[in-house]
Amino acid sequence: MNVTDKKIAIYGAGAMGTTLGALLTLGGLKGVHLITRNTAHIDGLNTNGAQIVCEAEGKELCVPVTAFTPDQMTEK
């Protein structure tokens, strides 16, 4: 199995967890799942992707991500 095929769960997808998950996804990892209890945040992530702004570089990124609540997770 290739490292890009591994599954990663980030439990606590607030500002830092969401950014980390988005950057891992952007780096080529396919199985990154963001987990948080904030359903509004989950809805926004699943609808609009993770919005990342790097003011130092003057860049804005929109990375499609997958987000769940803890009770929606079906795998270990």
Side-chain angles (χ1 to χ4, degrees):
M1 179 179 276
N2 191 327
V3 70
T4 59
D5 297 327
K6 298 282 184 178
K7 293 182 181 180
I8 297 173
I10 298 177
Y11 194 96
M16 292 305 296
T18 296
T19 301
L20 176 62
L23 293 175
L24 289 170
T25 300
L26 193 62
L29 297 178
K30 298 177 182 87
V32 179
H33 294 165
L34 305 177
I35 307 163
T36 181
R37 288 182 231 147
N38 184 334
T39 56
H41 187 54
I42 289 170
D43 292 343
L45 288 171
N46 288 327
T47 301
N48 303 313
Q51 310 293 317
I52 301 173
V53 177
C54 179
E55 291 186 16
E57 297 283 328
K59 295 182 181 178
E60 293 185 25
L61 303 171
C62 178
V63 182
V65 294
T66 304
F68 301 98
T69 59
D71 60 320
Q72 292 174 320
M73 294 301 297
T74 58
E75 301 177 54
K76 291 183 180 182

